[in-house]
Amino acid sequence: METTNLKPKTLQGTVVKDGNDKTVVVSVPRFVKHPKYQKFFKKDKRYQAHDEANAYKVGDKVEMVEGRPMSRTKRFTVTKKI
């Protein structure tokens, strides 16, 4: 079998919630083109990310990287503040 070197997915977004222990919720915006009207509009998706030191607060711009599942909904780990 052939192995491929896949890079983990990296996303940038804004912390919108930091109430849970070692977890932050990050909103990642993207622009999508409407299929009928051909106009671009903004859509946001929220991801739960692991924050080991509880260092990131609401409003921080962060970068996160995909990793192993840490819980039912956590698949990302926050790597740095932008």
Side-chain angles (χ1 to χ4, degrees):
M1 253 189 159
E2 189 176 319
T3 60
T4 58
N5 294 333
L6 297 176
K7 282 188 165 183
K9 189 183 294 186
T10 303
L11 299 174
Q12 295 179 353
T14 306
V15 176
V16 292
K17 185 178 175 186
D18 64 350
N20 298 335
D21 187 35
K22 297 185 181 181
T23 304
V24 292
V25 179
V26 180
S27 178
V28 178
R30 66 186 181 106
F31 282 95
V32 181
K33 189 181 220 180
H34 192 279
K36 181 177 179 182
Y37 300 113
Q38 306 301 312
K39 179 169 177 147
F40 284 94
F41 60 98
K42 190 169 88 167
K43 277 183 119 173
D44 291 345
K45 186 164 182 183
R46 290 176 157 204
Y47 296 93
Q48 289 191 3
H50 187 67
D51 174 18
E52 183 66 36
N54 289 323
Y56 303 102
K57 301 298 173 198
V58 174
D60 291 347
K61 303 271 186 191
V62 295
E63 184 176 282
M64 56 187 183
V65 65
E66 189 176 30
R68 65 175 183 84
M70 286 169 239
S71 72
R72 190 180 72 149
T73 56
K74 277 201 311 193
R75 297 325 190 231
F76 286 89
T77 303
V78 178
T79 54
K80 64 181 177 179
K81 188 174 179 179
I82 300 174

